Amino acid sequence: LIASASGNVEESVHLLDQVLKFEPENVNALVAKATALRRAGRLDGAVECLDRAIALKPDHGGALLSRGRIFEDRGLLDAALDTYDRLVELGPTDTDAWVAQGNVLVKMGRPEDALRSYKGALKISPDDEDLRARVGGLDSARVQHDQLIRELLQIKGIGPARAKALQDTGFVTQDDFRKATEDDLLKVHGITRKVAADILAHFRGQVALDAK
């Protein structure tokens, strides 16, 4: 463990292999080896160790958390979320589990679900300032999102489907619309030139009102 933490990864793996030679079912040694292999960028080997550890001890929180993070490293967000979901089920009072779940949900573009995860963590650790900041940031983003949707629905020709299509294409703030051109908006499914012109008139008109 000291060798791994000091960056002597190969030495660490060698020593842990010696432990596992005599104790092949030593779960902590398997998890420690996975950590060392992950530090070395040897992710396949790390996952193999973690899978062996979880097979021996399905409720090992450290092994599940590490496996989820490796999936995140690889961009396998669905697999990471499945792992974190399991971790939360096994340890509903584990702050790290809720936070890990929330983090991957943010990466997946699911802020509402992420907010629920962070609030779950905050119930366990109410004095955690970092968690408070994450919850506050997502709450603020949700308010802005709801306000933008209401504004879009005021524009003739914009219904829920077109509003969603605009947001899915990357138009998520008033500034995004103010900086857009008609051609940018026409790339969005269902947006006609007339609707694009009305959108620009609406949001650019707000700039003039704000200036007054």
Side-chain angles (χ1 to χ4, degrees):
L1 291 171
I2 292 170
S4 178
S6 302
N8 301 321
V9 176
E10 294 306 323
E11 180 186 358
S12 174
V13 171
H14 172 72
L15 292 170
L16 289 163
D17 279 340
Q18 295 304 304
V19 174
L20 290 166
K21 179 179 178 181
F22 294 101
E23 298 179 15
E25 296 188 355
N26 186 320
V27 173
N28 289 332
L30 285 166
V31 175
K33 182 179 175 181
T35 300
L37 290 172
R38 184 185 175 207
R39 285 174 176 157
R42 293 158 60 183
L43 300 184
D44 286 336
V47 170
E48 182 182 338
C49 287
L50 292 171
D51 285 345
R52 286 171 57 195
I54 292 166
L56 291 165
K57 189 173 174 53
D59 62 346
H60 194 291
L64 287 166
L65 187 63
S66 293
R67 186 170 68 169
R69 285 176 174 161
I70 289 173
F71 286 143
E72 276 194 77
D73 291 344
R74 289 179 153 180
L76 303 173
L77 301 185
D78 287 329
L81 181 59
D82 286 342
T83 303
Y84 295 146
D85 287 347
R86 183 177 172 189
L87 190 59
V88 168
E89 288 174 11
L90 290 169
T93 59
D94 184 347
T95 302
D96 288 341
W98 286 102
V99 171
Q101 186 187 60
N103 289 346
V104 78
L105 285 165
V106 168
K107 291 180 181 180
M108 296 173 80
R110 295 168 55 182
E112 290 290 329
D113 293 330
L115 187 58
R116 280 192 288 271
S117 295
Y118 289 146
K119 286 183 175 179
L122 200 56
K123 287 179 182 178
I124 303 162
S125 304
D127 297 326
D128 190 311
E129 292 300 324
D130 179 61
L131 273 174
R132 287 185 176 278
R134 294 186 195 206
V135 169
L138 284 175
D139 269 333
S140 175
R142 180 175 60 178
V143 170
Q144 291 177 13
H145 170 272
D146 292 346
Q147 181 181 348
L148 186 64
I149 290 292
R150 285 195 296 271
E151 283 200 44
L152 285 170
L153 294 177
Q154 292 173 13
I155 301 170
K156 187 176 180 180
I158 297 289
R162 284 178 173 174
K164 184 177 185 305
L166 285 161
Q167 295 214 311
D168 289 347
T169 310
F171 295 98
V172 294
T173 67
Q174 292 182 350
D175 250 10
D176 291 333
F177 287 104
R178 289 167 183 162
K179 294 174 182 177
T181 65
E182 280 192 16
D183 287 339
D184 293 331
L185 294 170
L186 287 171
K187 295 174 184 176
V188 180
H189 179 70
I191 301 299
T192 65
R193 189 165 295 279
K194 174 67 168 63
V195 172
D198 288 345
I199 291 171
L200 294 180
H202 175 86
F203 286 102
R204 290 175 181 172
Q206 279 194 335
V207 175
L209 288 173
D210 291 342
K212 292 178 181 180

